[in-house]
């Protein structure tokens, strides 16, 4: 089911995760801002949830790829 993640190149996944995870670079990355809002309980608007999903998805794919790579050796 997740074999498509194995076919992605590390370089590509890492680049996309860094670019989308840190965008916009100033004043504060959206992903960090949304995670702080989630922790504070202020992540209530649909746009905020969408931002969290869009900026966090590549980081999640990178984490899954790392876990799958660690299991297979």
């Amino acid at each position: 089911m997740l074999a498509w993640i194995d076919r992605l190149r590390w370089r590509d996944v890492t680049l996309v995760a860094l670019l989308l995870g840190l965008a916009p670079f100033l004043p504060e990355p959206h992903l960090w801002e949304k995670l702080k809002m989630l922790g504070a309980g202020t992540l209530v608007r649909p746009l905020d949830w969408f931002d969290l999903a869009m900026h966090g998805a590549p980081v999640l794919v990178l984490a899954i790829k790392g876990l799958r790579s660690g299991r297979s050796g």
Side-chain angles (χ1 to χ4, degrees), residues 9-37:
R9 292 189 298 188
W10 277 102
R11 180 190 63 188
D12 298 340
V13 176
T14 304
L15 181 64
V16 171
L18 284 173
L19 288 176
L20 279 179
L22 296 176
F25 300 102
L26 296 173
E28 181 176 46
H30 268 355
L31 183 57
W32 180 246
E33 176 187 5
K34 301 309 176 192
L35 288 173
K36 288 191 330 188
M37 289 173 70

